[in-house]
Amino acid sequence: MTAINRRTVLQGLAVATGTLAAPAVQAQPTPVRIGFLTVKTGPLASGGLQMEQGLLLYLKERNNRLAGRAVELITADTGGVPAQARTKTQELVERNRVHCIIGPLAAFEALAIDDYIRGVGLPTLAVAAADDMTQRNPNPWFVRATSTSSQCAHPMADYALNELRMRRMAVIADDIAYGHEMLGGFQRVFEDGGGRVVQKLWPPLAVPDYGTYISQFRSNLDGIYMGFAGSNGFRFTRQFNEYGMGGRVPLTGGMTAVDESLLQNMGNEALGIVSANWYSAELDNPINRSFVELMRRDYRVDPGFYAAATYTNGAVLEAAMRSVDGRVEDKEPFMAALRTNAVPETCRGPVRFDQYGNVVGNVYIRRVERKGPRLVNTVIKTYPDVSQFWTYDPAAYLRNPVYSRDNPASRFLER
Amino acid sequence: MSGPLRGLLALALLAGLPWLLPGDFYVNLASQVLIYALFAIGLNLLVGYGGLTSLGHAAYFGVSAYACAWLTTQAGLGPAAAAAGALALGTATAGVFGVLALRASGLGFLMITLALGQIVWGMAYRWVALTGGDNGIRLADRPVVLGLDATTPIGFYYLAAGVFAIAFYTIRRTALSPFGACLRGSRDQPRRMAALGHNVWLLRWLAFVMSGFWGSAAGLLYLYYHKFVSPQVLALQQSAEGLLMVILGGASTLTGPVVGAVVITLVKNLASSYVDRWYALLGVIFIVAVVFMPRGMVPGVAGLWARRRAPQS
Amino acid sequence: MQFYVIQTLNSLALGGVLFLLSSGFSLIFGLQRIPNLAHGALFMLGAYIGTSLISRGVDFWAAAVLSGIAVGLLGAALERLILRRLAGNEQGQVLVTLGVAFIIADVCLMVWTGDPIPVPAPDGLRRPIFAYGLAFPTYRLVVVGVAVVMAVLLFLLIERTRLGAMIRAGVDDMEMARGVGIRVSRLFSITFFFGVALAGAAGVVAGPIFSAYPGLDADMLPLALVVVILGGVGSLLGAFVGSFVVGFVYNFGTALLPDLAYVILFLPMVLALVFKPEGLFGRARP
């Protein structure tokens, strides 16, 4: 993979703009500058690198032109550290004078730059999943085309209840807000439908070994729900199998537990895991088929959560730019376009946005299956038009506090 | 050039810097450098002058930042009271941790400080009701201090510069005072100092507490600058970076840690825009610096300068 | 009952891995007084090299040895070219070893990218053992065995060979050792190579449990430090006992007191240090 930095993008752009026919009235002379906040060093780097791959692919397919204007991508490495995320955002705005930002990756990065974004009025196509960014603390400059942490957990619980007929489950997730919110959403729908969460385990994010947790699972479980981030789902599943639990208790997962990027290195221990996400590389629409094809050709990997996130953001950005005839400099109409456009064709299917700037789109239930030499997330059910509030009334939903370790309250825990 | 003149020149440079920089972004960068330089010179009291290498200093940085954030957002205190509370809590933490850590020396000391730092870090993650967990706490606004509006980049710069100048002056006075001499003595010859009747433990503990105080001050500035605090400020990486700034620049000099802070902050924030593998670059800088300037950059450069000026004898 | 048995086995397995990880660190610090803060990164590098070797068909145990040697050679070069100049300059050593750790971490990210890579356990050890209604990963029990074997070999090396005698002499009193004619600089190179090689090999041996992923270095280093400090620097017995103490405290603590999950690793160490600063088996230094 070539390391793209600002210099090479600028050089490439110089060539591209040099070949433009200048006198055309529609084509504006200065390129649109897109800031890209991602993580390229440190433990979160794998997601960040995939975000970059997805975005570069989108732009490359269009010769770095969106809605008739040339675009320049300026990549900034936040290292996964909130202070650095904020500094990089300031650099993108003040030094590079970007028109909009794609990213950041992590929830705490988004929270760190939240007030700055509001202050300067910077359209931000966020990837981070923090629920409250589009719920109780909505930022008018955010638009999120991926999902909240709990958005995909709600339908997963529904599926577990009604199709998998599970009634008695244990949940295990990373002890961070992402895990809390995912599990909270799952538990709420699961218990509202008559199920019982009898055990909740919260391993710290960077725990070396899951052995001690695996040995704590109660007996007679119908299933286990995993809310892991990063590569933890990978390690947990392997160890789960090593302890002889594989096949005895079905595993279900959240958005990133069996991400495509992890599947490529997993073996038979992953077969049969059911998870819910707003994307799967197996989605059968023309845009996705071509996207997956290109990712395999250029980067030799299947796209997962992160690559699809930026690829979708690219589509949302392009659609908004089209609506304003490329005039991104007029921030208000541009932001309004970002949040009100319905984009019927993206790699994840149709997307539109609710009044808080969060996506309303399909959520797919997938099962890990073997297809030839590789493991894939086969789509077995589609929940269309899923919003961040599931089937609940938004006003009532927002009156509850955000999901946390203790919310919803655990009424059925067995100890 | 005499001492006071050098000091005045430095002060003038500090005051005039924002006007020389080509934009708000650079002023902000300078403010960040000052925050970490403050952290580093405080740490240097312990590491350089006290000879006690600590890998848990971020604890005071973070405790102070969190305390101020909590006191402002949850307890509704005004900025002065919140800042005072934060400094008090951070310094008190240093006092307690100092008692624990000074049970050992050398690697044992390093490990206890590391462990205590990790414990505080873990608490920040776990105690969500108090700290917000990994979502952190957000501050609504920077304060107005003595008429200085810190909400603007230049305003904040002057706040940071003012605090830094006071800190530098105070630390310098401390280092050059009899206390400083005793401290250095206890670093170099603890047994002899004890034989001479000095309370070595007390000297070290006082250095620990003072160092914790300045770390708390830096944490306070950090909170005001970012208006956000999350468990990362307490992470081992933060402590390690502070220690690296001190050692890279020159541990037992006054200006060394400042130089170290400048280098590391600039590499992290500027070089990372041009170099993808800036993290490895940082590692290379450490190694090269130590190989050619084993006592740190400031003593190394000073040595080079002295050698050039001295006639060949 | 089942719970206690499984957690005990978990603790033994974790203890075994920790011993493999920390014995090298203890050796190096005990003899040369160098806090090798690149230890976690070298462990990770060994794990990554192991994955590359195994994916090319090399046998698991051979890969462990080869990785160890490769990493050991890197360590020996580091010692000879850089660390030797910094004798006595503890802070400089901290800076250099951290610098090396940074570089290794970034290079691993570049070469092996950010996704986790599994280290397959040797054939035949992948299925769990079923006994008395319990299932336990076979490989983890093997790791305990490897740790014990390693401990015995190291013990024999240190206590029964001439090289070991020289090492012990150096740990006890460097000046005297020099005085009686021991070639200290050669000894340093050998122990450094050996200590680092142990870490690299440990990375492969622990691979089937932890896998190789970015951040493994930062996760492992505190563990190694805790074990060595708790057990007492320079004492192999201390490293051995310390490893298992940490293993037990960690496993049972996390299971019984989940709220203390973040601190359970450090609490016993802090307590031990507050009461016995030189560690369980360390010797008090002036």
Side-chain angles (χ1 to χ4, degrees):
Chain A
M1 184 189 101
T2 50
I4 302 288
N5 61 22
R6 286 166 58 231
R7 291 227 180 91
T8 56
V9 173
L10 278 170
Q11 284 166 8
L13 213 50
V15 173
T17 47
T19 58
L20 273 178
V25 175
Q26 313 95 294
Q28 273 115 327
T30 59
V32 174
R33 285 178 298 275
I34 306 175
F36 180 39
L37 283 174
T38 184
V39 181
K40 295 175 74 159
T41 51
L44 299 179
S46 80
L49 290 171
Q50 289 160 40
M51 277 167 61
E52 188 175 37
Q53 289 168 346
L55 189 56
L56 287 179
L57 208 55
Y58 191 86
L59 294 177
K60 183 170 118 168
E61 281 183 302
R62 290 153 184 77
N63 283 320
N64 292 319
R65 293 185 70 78
L66 296 178
R69 278 185 78 170
V71 299
E72 178 187 335
L73 187 70
I74 301 157
T75 304
D77 178 9
T78 68
V81 178
Q84 218 164 312
R86 197 193 162 92
T87 308
K88 286 297 174 183
T89 311
Q90 285 173 329
E91 180 180 347
L92 288 170
V93 169
E94 291 161 24
R95 244 178 122 208
N96 304 111
R97 287 171 300 121
V98 296
H99 297 107
C100 64
I101 275 190
I102 297 184
L105 185 159
F108 45 79
E109 294 179 314
L111 290 170
I113 64 175
D114 179 60
D115 69 295
Y116 181 75
I117 302 279
R118 280 180 217 245
V120 300
L122 179 69
T124 305
L125 291 90
V127 172
D131 278 15
D132 260 355
M133 269 162 45
T134 54
Q135 288 180 7
R136 296 162 194 84
N137 253 319
N139 187 327
W141 296 97
F142 272 171
V143 66
R144 171 160 51 199
T146 48
S147 77
T148 64
S149 316
S150 50
Q151 194 165 354
C152 298
H154 296 138
M156 184 69 239
D158 181 87
Y159 189 85
L161 264 175
N162 297 319
E163 310 264 352
L164 298 176
R165 305 241 167 266
M166 294 181 178
R167 286 285 174 278
R168 215 181 116 82
M169 291 188 74
V171 298
I172 179 170
D174 292 324
D175 192 14
I176 51 174
Y178 175 68
H180 303 160
E181 289 169 8
M182 246 199 300
L183 250 49
F186 182 87
Q187 183 188 347
R188 184 169 177 192
V189 173
F190 192 68
E191 290 185 344
D192 280 356
R196 290 172 171 231
V197 171
V198 300
Q199 192 174 18
K200 277 163 121 168
L201 295 173
W202 302 107
L205 182 62
V207 78
D209 180 35
Y210 289 102
T212 181
Y213 294 97
I214 293 174
S215 7
Q216 289 179 55
F217 280 125
R218 308 200 67 77
S219 42
N220 302 325
L221 293 171
D222 295 331
I224 295 174
Y225 179 71
M226 310 183 279
F228 290 119
S231 65
N232 291 338
F234 165 88
R235 287 188 294 136
F236 175 83
T237 312
R238 285 179 67 81
Q239 294 172 5
F240 190 74
N241 250 67
E242 285 166 12
Y243 277 82
M245 302 270 288
R248 293 211 285 179
V249 182
L251 287 176
T252 64
M255 298 193 279
T256 41
V258 279
D259 190 63
E260 277 76 359
S261 62
L262 304 177
L263 278 184
Q264 65 187 354
N265 280 321
M266 292 173 90
N268 290 336
E269 71 268 10
L271 286 175
I273 298 182
V274 175
S275 62
N277 191 14
W278 46 266
Y279 178 76
S280 161
E282 289 294 294
L283 281 175
D284 195 16
N285 63 65
I287 297 184
N288 191 47
R289 278 201 298 273
S290 130
F291 174 44
V292 173
E293 186 69 45
L294 286 172
M295 281 289 286
R296 285 183 186 162
R297 188 194 68 190
D298 281 2
Y299 300 114
R300 287 194 295 278
V301 293
D302 280 2
F305 181 105
Y306 293 104
T310 47
Y311 199 81
T312 310
N313 272 328
V316 169
L317 179 63
E318 182 169 22
M321 280 174 70
R322 282 217 186 96
S323 319
V324 294
D325 286 324
R327 275 194 305 275
V328 301
E329 283 80 0
D330 296 330
K331 281 195 295 196
E332 311 277 343
F334 177 49
M335 194 64 223
L338 276 170
R339 282 172 78 137
T340 53
N341 269 348
V343 188
E345 284 174 7
T346 72
C347 60
R348 65 168 283 186
V351 306
R352 60 184 174 84
F353 299 95
D354 63 19
Q355 61 182 123
Y356 299 95
N358 194 58
V359 70
V360 178
N362 295 347
V363 174
Y364 306 97
I365 307 292
R366 312 121 19 118
R367 182 171 53 224
V368 179
E369 292 180 353
R370 191 168 282 285
K371 204 164 143 182
R374 45 161 51 102
L375 287 176
V376 297
N377 279 315
T378 307
V379 177
I380 53 181
K381 182 171 171 142
T382 303
Y383 283 85
D385 256 4
V386 175
S387 88
Q388 55 180 328
F389 303 112
W390 187 232
T391 53
Y392 299 109
D393 168 57
Y397 187 101
L398 291 176
R399 275 199 290 274
N400 289 330
V402 72
Y403 293 130
S404 69
R405 260 210 303 270
D406 307 304
N407 173 41
S410 318
R411 293 171 290 154
F412 304 108
L413 287 188
E414 297 171 9
R415 199 36 179 126
Chain B
M1 207 189 291
S2 71
L5 195 58
R6 263 201 298 214
L8 243 56
L9 212 63
L11 214 57
L13 183 63
L14 199 63
L17 192 61
W19 311 106
L20 301 170
L21 291 173
D24 272 352
F25 170 71
Y26 296 98
V27 175
N28 280 328
L29 201 56
S31 297
Q32 285 194 71
V33 169
L34 285 172
I35 295 175
Y36 291 112
L38 176 60
F39 185 59
I41 58 176
L43 181 58
N44 190 29
L45 262 178
L46 188 62
V47 174
Y49 292 100
L52 299 163
T53 312
S54 161
L55 254 186
H57 220 66
Y60 322 114
F61 189 85
V63 164
S64 161
Y66 266 109
C68 182
W70 189 87
L71 288 171
T72 312
T73 55
Q74 302 294 341
L77 290 184
L87 288 174
L89 193 59
T91 313
T93 309
V96 172
F97 284 4
V99 169
L100 292 172
L102 284 171
R103 302 271 311 161
S105 58
L107 192 64
F109 177 85
L110 184 100
M111 279 311 298
I112 298 191
T113 55
L114 188 154
L116 292 170
Q118 291 290 92
I119 289 175
V120 178
W121 174 76
M123 278 173 58
Y125 259 108
R126 193 78 194 177
W127 204 341
V128 178
L130 192 70
T131 64
D134 59 305
N135 276 342
I137 304 181
R138 276 181 289 179
L139 211 60
D141 257 311
R142 292 178 187 163
V144 174
V145 179
L146 301 174
L148 185 65
D149 181 11
T151 53
T152 65
I154 285 201
F156 184 85
Y157 173 85
Y158 280 118
L159 175 64
V163 174
F164 176 77
I166 295 174
F168 190 85
Y169 177 73
T170 312
I171 291 176
R172 183 171 181 277
R173 286 291 297 265
T174 310
L176 298 176
S177 72
F179 172 79
C182 289
L183 188 62
R184 271 174 286 140
S186 70
R187 172 192 71 192
D188 297 329
Q189 297 281 4
R191 272 193 296 188
R192 192 175 291 180
M193 289 297 288
L196 286 170
H198 291 277
N199 188 341
V200 170
W201 184 93
L202 187 62
L203 285 167
R204 288 175 169 169
W205 184 79
L206 286 172
F208 201 103
V209 171
M210 279 190 259
S211 181
F213 174 78
W214 292 116
S216 304
L220 203 57
L221 282 178
Y222 173 96
L223 175 71
Y224 287 144
Y225 177 76
H226 289 287
K227 295 193 282 183
F228 178 75
V229 62
S230 76
Q232 249 107 354
V233 306
L234 292 161
L236 181 56
Q237 189 177 355
Q238 185 74 44
S239 293
E241 265 174 35
L243 185 63
L244 291 169
M245 288 174 191
V246 171
I247 301 179
L248 178 68
S252 40
T253 65
L254 280 167
T255 50
V258 179
V259 170
V262 169
V263 170
I264 292 185
T265 311
L266 289 184
V267 169
K268 269 174 55 177
N269 290 306
L270 274 187
S272 52
S273 315
Y274 298 99
V275 178
D276 258 1
R277 304 259 68 95
W278 58 272
Y279 198 67
L281 174 66
L282 210 51
V284 170
I285 290 177
F286 293 156
I287 296 178
V288 168
V290 161
V291 166
F292 291 107
M293 298 178 276
R295 298 281 154 207
M297 287 175 75
V298 166
V301 169
L304 273 174
W305 184 250
R307 271 200 295 275
R308 285 184 67 204
R309 290 182 74 195
Q312 316 292 11
S313 50
Chain C
M1 183 58 204
Q2 224 183 37
F3 168 78
Y4 285 98
V5 172
I6 292 251
Q7 293 297 10
T8 303
L9 292 174
N10 274 338
S11 309
L12 289 174
L14 183 59
V17 174
L18 288 178
F19 176 70
L20 292 172
L21 168 67
S22 53
S23 51
F25 186 91
S26 187
L27 207 59
I28 291 174
F29 191 77
L31 181 64
Q32 298 175 271
R33 314 294 300 168
I34 295 178
N36 181 18
L37 296 179
H39 202 78
L42 292 163
F43 177 91
M44 180 174 76
L45 181 63
Y48 272 122
I49 294 178
T51 62
S52 292
L53 289 175
I54 293 176
S55 70
R56 278 167 181 65
V58 177
D59 166 68
F60 181 85
W61 301 107
V65 171
L66 288 172
S67 284
I69 293 177
V71 173
L73 288 174
L74 177 65
L78 172 67
E79 194 270 335
R80 182 148 281 228
L81 295 174
I82 301 177
L83 286 172
R84 191 163 289 194
R85 303 179 184 220
L86 299 173
N89 181 356
E90 183 183 289
Q91 290 166 349
Q93 290 164 354
V94 167
L95 194 62
V96 160
T97 50
L98 275 177
V100 169
F102 279 24
I103 296 176
I104 292 180
D106 225 28
V107 166
C108 286
L109 190 59
M110 256 203 309
V111 173
W112 283 281
T113 75
D115 299 315
I117 304 180
V119 180
D123 284 327
L125 295 177
R126 290 182 204 169
R127 310 260 62 237
I129 282 187
F130 292 95
Y132 305 105
L134 296 171
F136 196 78
T138 317
Y139 184 72
R140 290 187 186 219
L141 294 176
V142 170
V143 167
V144 182
V146 172
V148 172
V149 167
M150 212 52 237
V152 170
L153 286 176
L154 283 174
F155 173 78
L156 290 174
L157 176 75
I158 300 279
E159 296 289 327
R160 296 272 186 273
T161 66
R162 205 154 158 266
L163 177 62
M166 289 199 282
I167 291 176
R168 272 181 292 133
V171 171
D172 280 345
D173 193 333
M174 182 60 62
E175 298 299 320
M176 274 309 278
R178 274 209 183 91
V180 299
I182 293 178
R183 285 181 54 193
V184 167
S185 54
R186 212 169 59 125
L187 196 61
F188 278 8
S189 295
I190 294 176
T191 30
F192 202 87
F193 167 83
F194 207 43
V196 169
L198 268 174
V204 181
V205 173
I209 301 180
F210 295 147
S211 312
Y213 60 94
L216 179 63
D217 54 335
D219 290 348
M220 290 292 114
L221 185 61
L223 293 178
L225 292 175
V226 165
V227 167
V228 166
I229 294 300
L230 178 64
V233 167
S235 161
L236 219 50
L237 179 63
F240 192 74
V241 172
S243 302
F244 288 100
V245 169
V246 171
F248 271 88
V249 170
Y250 180 78
N251 269 288
F252 279 95
T254 331
L256 298 172
L257 303 163
D259 270 330
L260 294 182
Y262 291 89
V263 307
I264 201 73
L265 206 52
F266 294 98
L267 221 42
M269 187 196 77
V270 173
L271 288 173
L273 278 178
V274 165
F275 293 109
K276 194 167 191 282
E278 62 274 8
L280 293 174
F281 292 91
R283 245 155 307 198
R285 276 176 198 279

